[in-house]
């Protein structure tokens, strides 16, 4: 478990939306998917996932339905809505712009300043 | 619709809340379980896997709370949670809850009660369509601004004005009902034909009077009141068309007036029948100079203002004065909005009482605030623990406020019961209030009570709640529950000072009212009221057409039969006027002067038409000459007796006895045979300020023949009793019935009751103000007691140590007493200052007592501080008895 990074404030929503965009998942599934797609590099306080999920549902980016999980248990599945898809695109764009801006800032050399 | 929708939203969110609460648990638990499953697969033991899963998840309750917040049904949820928690906390300390709720119930109940009276009497519109268009009408004469309106003048007023859509006059009277069981005395109203239509009152059944049915000589018709209809006809519709025998004449019933209509004549006497004016067999009815106690009501045309109507009526009356100078010179019209006419002087009294109960409520709030402060202190630990567990300050304040609002709402609900019961009881005792029938707990009272409760809850919850915001969590937890006391005590001290000051203001107000009333009771009315009974008598209706001589004989016989009845010391008939109740006027000019052309140029005097024993019955002192004898009848020369005011005004220092005056009615020259002491006619307090004070007595049997016929339906009897007036009245009833079965005596009242009646409004406000002041004093003293005993409780250690170190117990007593009395004295000083300013508002209601009456202020201050000393002394004694050994062992 080396090389883990604390996630930046505000990025949890982006990660959840991304994870959910790959198919409906229950809460624990979302956690696992984020671990999987970030190759275990991101550290999430597990409980913190849920307030974020409830908020995204209320904001209309996710919709929740009770269903049956792979091990035949009742579970609540989260799915991206149309608004959520749009929101994800915006967040991704925003994130990429931020990353490239930060990256170019950090790669600046002395003579360019 | 909006309300239904929002209720539905509220219901659904509460319902959803219960559901999502379970689902939330299920979801979060599933996560932990799934995680534990995975960890177990990685080779951990089940127990270890579950422990790790929970650890990785983090603060379960904290996240759940955040989820709740994120899910958005937060407000309703937390409210429901707070209410549940609050109720649990209140249930856990039933003593505190009971005291707080009772205190608030007293405060809120008093407010709701007084407000329901104010609401019913002052705020509710009169129960007539467009009540703002209604005005009361009077004739203004040089001596009175609200004189009565002669029937013929009224007809001209009605015909000639341009600003009224309609006008009516009426007066109270009474009839003897025969032919329906035992003969009965009925309260009646003589009305002009449009009396009901002016007010916009429709008959419950049958029809209203038609125009011209009020003319002299029209068919005898009658409308009956709803109450009379139910009592006599069992509410049957067949009553219409039946006949009533009133004073021996048959009247046809044409309609039933609804009971809401009683409002107009006041709750004091309910009217049984309404009869058109023309049916009144009074020959003076068509005399333009006889007002005969008729007063009017007018309805302004839509758009017409009272000012326009006044100007219009000034023109109408000026024209009449020109046309009939003899009767109408200097006669104008007075217009008073009907509302104002009906409410009279009650408005300032009610507003004062409203102010007083406002104080009571404030005191109650302060008291409960104090209780909560003391409790907040013992709850600092609970609060500290909750805040250490992650409850935000805002959340805690909301929780505490919810609790105080719950208390206030409980107090409000109980207060409504108190108000309902209290106003009913008060109105039962004091029937003199106008519009009393309309007083009740309507939606406005309910809403106001709810709002008051809510505000009170927030108001008195604020101090203890703000305490929480500044609480030092760590310190409290470390100290093991014994928090710092300094600032809390200060806040409570301020509360006590304020309460004491407010209680003092109310006590001073009540004290001033009591002193005024005592002064009024001491006023000498000029006659002695003890043991004097007054009642009405109607001769048999058949006598109405008998020769006047027969009537005089009957009246004489009544006086002598009554006078020989056991228990009777003196009897006199009296016609028309009675001190403090009813007035009558005589017009005269001095002998030797020409008769003035207009009545307005004649002299006016109050007139009493009485029998020979009147002076004995009323015990009015004779100053010189003699009073009447049995021989002063229609065969003897006219004689009169004057009062000292009359004699002074018209004869100066000379002797009036033996002099003569010219009377208008009965016409002729009368010899003055005696002078008696002045009697208060108008009222105990303002009599000396009235313009018309000269009094003249005339022998009843010397009145004109037609006047004597007028006495058949009703003449007053004054009896001085040597035994209980009730017993005397019963024997006289027997004597009267024995004389003639159709002769009725009715409406007995002692003169003491009549005097008390004139003081009823003052007594009403005094009793209520006194009661509120007593409640205020009690609450304030409970507050003082509570704070001092609380302080003694907190200082037990300190006191124990002091005693152990050698402080004398009397010193400890002085210490505690001093603490309480400092607050009480500060409150007294503040209260005196406030009372000085506020009692100015009372000055209209005071009699012979200054608004700053030093005696009242000093007495009230002494009473208040004595009671405060007692309230402090009880806990101080407890402090004195502290056993240092016990205390130190606890340390």
């Amino acid at each position: 478990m080396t090389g883990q990074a604390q996630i930046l404030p505000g990025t949890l929503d982006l990660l959840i939306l991304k994870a959910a965009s790959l198919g409906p998942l229950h809460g624990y599934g979302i956690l696992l998917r984020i671990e999987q797609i970030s190759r275990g590099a991101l550290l999430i306080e597990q409980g913190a996932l849920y307030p974020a999920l409830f908020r995204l549902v209320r904001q209309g980016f996710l919709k929740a339905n009770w269903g049956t999980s792979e091990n035949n248990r009742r579970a609540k599945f989260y799915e991206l809505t149309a608004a959520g898809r749009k929101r994800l695109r915006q967040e991704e764009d925003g994130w990429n712009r931020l990353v490239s801006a930060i990256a170019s800032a950090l790669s600046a050399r002395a003579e360019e300043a | 619709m909006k309300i239904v929708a929002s209720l539905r939203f509220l219901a659904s969110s509460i319902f959803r809340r219960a559901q999502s609460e379970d689902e939330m648990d299920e979801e979060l638990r599933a996560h932990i379980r799934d995680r534990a499953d995975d960890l177990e697969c990685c080779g951990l033991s089940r127990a270890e896997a579950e422990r790790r899963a929970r650890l990785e998840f983090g603060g379960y309750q904290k996240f759940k709370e955040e989820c709740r917040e994120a899910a958005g049904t937060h407000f309703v949820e937390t409210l429901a949670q707070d209410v549940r928690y609050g109720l649990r906390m209140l249930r856990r300390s039933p003593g505190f809850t009971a005291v707080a709720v009772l205190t608030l119930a007293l405060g809120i109940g008093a407010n709701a009660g007084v407000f329901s009276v104010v609401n019913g009497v002052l705020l509710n519109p009169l129960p007539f369509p467009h009540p703002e268009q209604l005005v009361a009408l009077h004739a203004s004469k040089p001596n009175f601004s609200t004189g009565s309106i002669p029937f013929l003048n009224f007809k001209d007023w009605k015909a000639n004005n341009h600003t009224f859509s309609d006008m009516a006059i009426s007066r109270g009277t009474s009839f003897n009902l025969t032919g329906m069981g035992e003969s009965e005395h009925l309260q009646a109203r003589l009305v002009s034909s449009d009396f009901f239509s002016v007010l916009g009152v429709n008959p419950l059944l049958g029809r209203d009077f038609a125009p011209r049915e009020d003319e002299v000589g029209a068919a005898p018709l009658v409308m009956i009141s709803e109450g009379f209809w139910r009592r006599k006809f069992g509410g049957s519709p067949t009553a219409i068309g039946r006949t009533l025998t009133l004073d021996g004449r048959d009247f046809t019933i044409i309609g039933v007036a609804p009971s809401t209509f009683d409002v107009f004549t006041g709750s004091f006497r309910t009217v049984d029948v309404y009869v058109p004016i023309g049916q009144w067999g009074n020959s003076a009815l068509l005399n333009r100079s006889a007002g005969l106690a008729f007063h009017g009501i007018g309805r302004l045309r839509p758009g017409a203002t009272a000012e326009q109507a006044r100007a219009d009526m000034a023109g109408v009356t000026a024209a009449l004065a020109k046309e009939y100078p003899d009767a109408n010179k200097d006669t104008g019209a007075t217009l008073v909005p009907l509302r104002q006419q009906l409410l009279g002087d009650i408005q300032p009294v009610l507003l004062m009482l409203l102010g007083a109960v406002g104080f009571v409520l404030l005191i109650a709030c302060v008291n409960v605030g104090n209780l909560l402060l003391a409790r907040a202190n013992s709850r600092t630990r609970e609060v500290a623990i909750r805040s250490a567990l992650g409850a935000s300050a805002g959340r805690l304040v909301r929780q505490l406020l919810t609790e105080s609002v719950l208390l206030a709402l409980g107090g409000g609900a109980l207060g409504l019961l108190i108000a309902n019961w209290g106003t009913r009881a008060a109105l039962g005792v004091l029937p003199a209030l106008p519009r009393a029938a309309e007083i009740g707990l309507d939606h406005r009272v309910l809403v106001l009570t709810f709002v008051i409760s809510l505000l009170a809850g927030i108001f008195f919850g604020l101090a203890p709640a703000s305490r929480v915001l500044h609480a030092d969590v760590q310190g409290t937890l470390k100290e093991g529950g014994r928090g710092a006391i300094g600032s809390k005590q200060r806040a409570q001290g301020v509360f006590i000072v304020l309460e004491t000051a407010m209680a003092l203001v109310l006590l001073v107000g009540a004290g001033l009212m009591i002193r005024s009333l005592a002064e009024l009771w001491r006023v000498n009315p000029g006659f002695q009221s003890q043991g004097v009974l007054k009642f009405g008598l109607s001769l048999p209706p058949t006598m109405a057409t008998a020769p006047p001589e027969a009537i005089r004989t009957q009246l004489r016989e009544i006086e002598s039969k009554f006078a020989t009845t056991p228990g009777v010391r003196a009897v006199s008939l009296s016609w028309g006027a009675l001190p403090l109740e009813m007035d009558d006027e005589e017009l005269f000019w001095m002998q030797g002067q020409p008769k003035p052309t207009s009545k307005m140029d004649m002299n006016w005097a109050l007139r009493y038409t009485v029998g020979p024993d009147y002076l004995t019955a009323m015990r009015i002192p004779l100053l010189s000459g003699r009073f009447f004898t049995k021989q002063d009848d229609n065969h003897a020369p006219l004689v009169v007796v004057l009062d000292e005011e009359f004699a002074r005004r018209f004869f100066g220092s000379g002797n009036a006895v033996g002099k003569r005056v010219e009377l208008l009615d009965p016409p002729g020259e009368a010899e003055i045979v005696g002078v008696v002491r002045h009697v208060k006619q108008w009222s105990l307090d303002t009599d000396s300020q009235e313009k018309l004070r000269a009094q003249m007595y005339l022998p009843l049997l010397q009145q004109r023949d037609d006047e004597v016929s007028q006495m058949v339906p009703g003449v007053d009897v004054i009896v001085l009793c040597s035994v209980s007036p009730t017993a005397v009245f019963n024997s006289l009833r027997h004597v009267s019935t024995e004389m003639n079965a159709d002769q009725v005596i009715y409406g007995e009242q002692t003169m003491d009751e009549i005097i008390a009646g004139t003081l009823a409004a003052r007594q009403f406000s005094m009793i209520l103000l006194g009661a509120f002041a007593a409640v205020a004093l009690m609450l304030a003293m409970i507050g003082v007691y509570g704070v001092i005993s609380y302080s003694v409780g907190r200082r037990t250690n300190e006191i124990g140590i002091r005693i152990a170190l050698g402080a004398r117990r009397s010193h400890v007593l002085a210490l505690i007493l001093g603490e309480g009395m400092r607050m009480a004295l500060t409150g007294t000083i503040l209260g005196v200052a406030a009372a000085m300013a506020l009692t100015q508002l009372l000055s209209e209601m005071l009699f012979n007592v200054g608004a700053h009456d030093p005696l009242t202020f000093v007495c009230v201050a002494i009473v208040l501080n004595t009671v405060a000393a007692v309230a402090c002394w009880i806990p101080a004694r407890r402090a004195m008895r502290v056993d240092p050994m016990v205390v130190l062992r606890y340390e």
Side-chain angles (χ1 to χ4, degrees):
Chain A
M1 282 285 197
T2 51
Q4 282 193 337
Q6 200 75 39
I7 62 166
L8 286 170
T11 50
L12 182 60
D13 286 9
L14 175 58
L15 289 172
I16 291 173
L17 291 176
K18 179 71 194 172
S21 74
L22 305 173
L25 283 170
H26 52 75
Y28 184 57
I30 288 180
L31 180 83
L32 292 180
R33 173 120 356 129
I34 291 175
E35 275 185 359
Q36 177 205 340
I37 59 185
S38 70
R39 297 179 202 92
L42 292 174
L43 189 68
I44 298 173
E45 196 181 3
Q46 295 182 13
L49 193 63
Y50 289 88
L53 283 171
F54 277 79
R55 192 171 50 249
L56 288 169
V57 169
R58 193 174 56 146
Q59 288 168 342
F61 300 133
L62 290 179
K63 65 180 183 210
N65 287 307
W66 285 88
T68 316
S69 68
E70 58 277 16
N71 46 13
N72 262 336
R73 278 177 180 150
R74 215 169 91 86
K76 197 164 151 194
F77 284 89
Y78 295 89
E79 198 179 335
L80 211 58
T81 63
R85 223 172 294 284
K86 201 168 144 203
R87 174 76 179 188
L88 176 61
R89 269 199 302 278
Q90 287 168 355
E91 293 256 325
E92 278 175 351
D93 289 351
W95 177 255
N96 288 334
R97 271 200 303 279
L98 181 71
V99 167
S100 62
I102 299 270
S104 77
L106 292 181
S107 61
R109 289 188 202 113
E111 61 267 30
E112 283 176 23
Chain B
M1 279 316 283
K2 253 188 187 152
I3 296 173
V4 174
S6 55
L7 276 181
R8 195 172 294 157
F9 169 77
L10 196 71
S12 76
S13 57
I14 291 172
F15 182 64
R16 242 197 354 249
R17 190 203 66 76
Q19 201 181 18
S20 64
E21 187 83 357
D22 289 343
E23 290 187 345
M24 210 183 285
D25 268 328
E26 186 180 351
E27 189 179 2
L28 300 189
R29 291 232 175 77
H31 177 110
I32 296 172
R33 194 189 48 221
D34 288 350
R35 181 69 187 163
D37 288 351
D38 283 358
L39 290 170
E40 200 178 5
C41 290
C42 295
L44 289 176
S45 73
R46 182 67 204 174
E48 178 61 13
E50 277 178 5
R51 199 186 68 82
R52 277 276 295 279
R54 270 200 297 277
L55 220 59
E56 285 177 15
F57 191 84
Y60 185 84
Q61 289 299 336
K62 173 172 159 264
F63 286 126
K64 203 168 125 185
E65 175 75 19
E66 278 180 36
C67 285
R68 263 190 223 120
E69 216 163 319
T73 46
H74 194 63
F75 178 76
V76 176
E77 263 175 60
T78 32
L79 186 66
Q81 205 184 8
D82 284 353
V83 168
R84 270 201 312 273
Y85 183 78
L87 286 176
R88 202 159 60 225
M89 290 310 288
L90 294 178
R91 255 206 312 275
R92 209 183 283 169
S93 39
F96 161 81
T97 307
V99 170
V101 167
L102 276 176
T103 306
L104 285 168
L106 271 181
I108 296 173
N111 271 276
V114 172
F115 182 73
S116 69
V117 173
V118 169
N119 182 43
V121 176
L122 297 185
L123 300 182
N124 279 347
L126 298 176
F128 308 117
H130 292 288
E132 72 287 349
Q133 294 173 346
L134 292 170
V135 291
L137 293 168
H138 309 277
S140 69
K141 292 169 187 171
N143 279 313
F144 316 95
S145 61
T146 55
S148 51
I149 310 168
F151 188 39
L152 293 183
N153 275 1
F154 158 71
K155 288 189 165 181
D156 287 329
W157 285 16
K158 190 170 162 163
N160 300 341
N161 82 78
H162 305 286
T163 43
F164 289 88
S165 60
D166 213 343
M167 232 184 236
I169 54 171
S170 71
R171 66 160 276 170
T173 186
S174 60
F175 285 106
N176 208 346
L177 171 71
T178 48
M180 282 189 90
E182 203 174 317
S183 53
E184 192 182 333
H185 193 75
L186 298 186
Q187 289 300 330
R189 214 160 173 86
L190 289 169
V191 297
S192 63
S193 55
D194 30 24
F195 183 65
F196 292 92
S197 56
V198 165
L199 292 169
V201 171
N202 292 316
L204 204 63
L205 193 69
R207 69 171 179 90
D208 185 3
F209 296 119
R212 311 194 68 78
E213 281 182 344
D214 58 355
E215 300 281 350
V216 176
L221 303 175
V222 62
M223 279 183 76
I224 58 178
S225 73
E226 188 179 345
F228 181 77
W229 176 53
R230 296 201 185 282
R231 182 158 61 87
K232 281 285 177 187
F233 297 98
S236 158
T238 60
I240 306 297
R242 303 257 300 261
T243 50
L244 284 185
T245 310
L246 304 175
D247 284 354
R249 294 175 57 212
D250 286 347
F251 287 76
T252 308
I253 299 175
I254 59 161
V256 178
S259 65
T260 51
F261 192 63
D262 286 344
V263 158
F264 175 65
T265 44
S267 59
F268 199 56
R269 279 184 184 166
T270 12
V271 172
D272 298 307
V273 294
Y274 299 88
V275 171
I277 292 177
Q279 300 304 321
W280 200 27
N282 189 331
S283 57
L285 187 60
L286 300 180
N287 179 347
R288 252 183 216 279
S289 56
L292 304 172
F294 281 106
H295 292 270
I297 306 165
R299 186 178 280 283
L300 297 174
R301 278 183 202 284
T305 65
E307 272 323 303
Q308 288 166 346
R310 272 192 196 105
D312 182 24
M313 288 308 294
V316 170
T317 50
L320 282 175
K322 212 176 222 174
E323 199 173 342
Y324 309 99
D326 179 47
N328 284 340
K329 194 180 166 214
D330 293 334
T331 301
T334 304
L335 279 68
V336 184
L338 188 60
R339 229 183 99 78
Q340 192 181 327
Q341 176 84 22
L342 292 182
L343 298 183
D345 304 331
I346 203 73
Q347 183 155 348
V349 172
L350 288 182
L351 293 181
M352 172 200 73
L353 289 176
L354 200 61
V357 284
F359 274 129
V360 173
L361 180 63
L362 272 180
I363 294 177
C365 283
V366 166
N367 246 4
V368 175
N370 247 338
L371 277 174
L372 281 176
L373 261 186
R375 214 165 87 100
N377 209 38
S378 52
R379 280 176 71 179
T380 38
R381 251 181 92 77
E382 171 207 333
V383 169
I385 289 170
R386 295 186 65 195
S387 103
L389 287 177
S392 66
R395 187 79 182 66
L396 285 172
V397 166
R398 238 176 75 180
Q399 165 63 42
L400 289 181
L401 279 183
T402 308
E403 253 180 73
S404 42
V405 168
L406 279 177
L407 277 179
L409 290 179
L414 193 60
L416 273 182
L417 289 180
I418 293 179
N420 196 14
W421 173 82
T423 40
R424 243 161 253 280
L427 293 177
V429 182
L430 306 149
L433 198 68
R435 307 182 72 191
E438 290 170 74
I439 293 166
L441 299 177
D442 67 357
H443 64 278
R444 220 175 327 182
V445 179
L446 292 177
V447 166
L448 186 93
T449 309
F450 181 73
V451 170
I452 286 183
S453 310
L454 217 59
L455 290 180
I458 293 169
F459 171 76
F460 67 67
L462 275 181
S466 77
R467 187 74 58 218
V468 169
L469 283 177
H470 307 114
D472 166 18
V473 174
Q474 297 206 338
T476 308
L477 289 177
K478 233 183 288 170
E479 254 188 284
R482 211 183 304 139
I485 38 174
S487 63
K488 255 159 235 163
Q489 285 289 65
R490 216 172 307 126
Q492 291 185 332
V494 171
F495 278 175
I496 291 302
V497 167
L498 288 180
E499 292 193 289
T500 317
M502 286 190 279
L504 185 117
V505 170
L506 286 187
L507 283 170
V508 164
L512 290 174
M513 298 295 275
I514 291 170
R515 290 253 298 138
S516 297
L517 207 63
E519 286 287 317
L520 276 170
W521 277 115
R522 267 216 294 276
V523 166
N524 178 4
F527 60 91
Q528 287 183 41
S529 57
Q530 300 90 328
V532 178
L533 177 72
K534 170 246 160 182
F535 56 85
L537 179 145
S538 28
L539 299 177
T542 47
M543 293 213 78
T545 49
E549 208 44 49
I551 301 171
R552 287 200 178 89
T553 308
Q554 179 79 1
L555 293 173
R556 250 191 224 110
E557 202 178 321
I558 290 167
E559 273 192 335
S560 69
K561 280 252 167 76
F562 281 11
T564 50
T565 306
V568 173
R569 277 169 58 191
V571 172
S572 168
L573 297 177
S574 165
W575 165 243
L578 196 67
L580 300 175
E581 217 192 31
M582 182 89 147
D583 58 278
D584 190 10
E585 283 76 37
E586 176 68 34
L587 278 65
F588 65 94
W589 61 99
M590 308 311 279
Q591 192 201 16
Q593 288 177 353
K595 180 183 179 181
T597 48
S598 162
K599 285 177 180 157
M600 293 305 146
D601 293 334
M602 295 180 188
N603 297 313
W604 290 57
L606 291 167
R607 149 191 170 146
Y608 302 94
T609 312
V610 297
D613 272 346
Y614 183 75
L615 227 51
T616 324
M618 294 283 275
R619 286 173 289 184
I620 300 169
L622 179 68
L623 299 178
S624 63
R626 65 169 178 95
F627 201 66
F628 308 133
T629 65
K630 286 201 169 80
Q631 283 68 49
D632 293 321
D633 61 8
N634 51 329
H635 305 298
L638 276 179
V639 290
V640 293
V641 168
L642 311 180
D643 82 324
E644 48 187 334
E645 286 289 329
F646 190 122
R648 191 163 44 240
R649 178 142 175 234
F650 292 96
F651 298 99
S653 51
N655 191 359
V657 177
K659 303 242 169 56
R660 286 162 186 278
V661 288
E662 299 278 352
L663 302 184
L664 183 69
D665 181 25
E669 192 181 285
E671 186 191 345
I672 299 162
V673 294
V675 175
V676 300
R677 174 129 300 154
H678 177 74
V679 164
K680 296 218 188 286
Q681 168 63 40
W682 302 108
S683 66
L684 291 180
D685 48 351
T686 59
D687 186 83
S688 57
Q689 293 142 34
E690 297 287 341
K691 280 189 215 149
L692 187 56
R693 294 183 73 228
Q695 295 169 343
M696 179 189 275
Y697 292 83
L698 292 96
L700 188 116
L701 293 179
Q702 286 191 339
Q703 298 313 300
R704 287 198 329 256
D705 287 356
D706 59 325
E707 290 268 325
V708 168
S709 301
Q710 283 304 309
M711 296 177 195
V712 171
V715 61
D716 284 337
V717 185
I718 311 288
V719 179
L720 177 61
C721 311
S722 55
V723 295
S724 105
T726 319
V728 170
F729 184 74
N730 286 332
S731 358
L732 289 180
R733 190 201 293 276
H734 190 68
V735 171
S736 171
T737 318
E738 227 163 48
M739 287 177 74
N740 188 318
D742 280 340
Q743 181 169 296
V744 183
I745 67 173
Y746 57 88
E748 72 277 23
Q749 256 184 308
T750 63
M751 279 313 279
D752 281 333
E753 284 167 357
I754 291 174
I755 293 180
T758 67
L759 301 178
R762 278 176 193 277
Q763 214 160 358
F764 171 76
S765 39
M766 184 208 77
I767 290 173
L768 283 186
L769 195 56
F772 296 150
V775 171
L777 178 67
M778 194 182 78
L779 290 179
M781 292 310 119
I782 290 176
V784 171
Y785 170 82
V787 167
I788 298 298
S789 16
Y790 176 71
S791 146
V792 167
R794 310 269 333 161
R795 292 170 73 178
T796 308
N797 292 324
E798 175 205 329
I799 293 165
I801 292 167
R802 278 171 189 262
I803 293 175
L805 291 178
R808 266 186 309 197
R809 283 170 195 265
S810 60
H811 178 75
V812 170
L813 187 73
L815 183 81
I816 302 296
L817 272 182
E819 182 188 348
M821 292 317 288
R822 244 195 327 276
M823 296 191 285
L825 282 173
T826 317
T828 305
I829 293 165
L830 262 180
V832 165
M836 288 283 224
L838 286 173
T839 49
Q840 291 293 5
L841 303 174
L842 278 182
S843 52
E844 284 282 295
M845 291 170 225
L846 301 180
F847 177 75
N848 270 6
V849 178
H852 295 160
D853 178 48
L855 182 67
T856 310
F857 273 74
V858 169
C859 286
V860 163
I862 290 174
V863 167
L864 185 83
N865 283 286
T866 311
V867 180
V870 173
C872 297
W873 184 70
I874 300 168
R877 226 171 38 143
R878 202 159 52 229
M880 202 173 68
R881 292 197 184 136
V882 165
D883 180 351
M885 284 317 290
V886 175
V887 171
L888 294 176
R889 209 171 291 143
Y890 270 115
E891 269 310 273

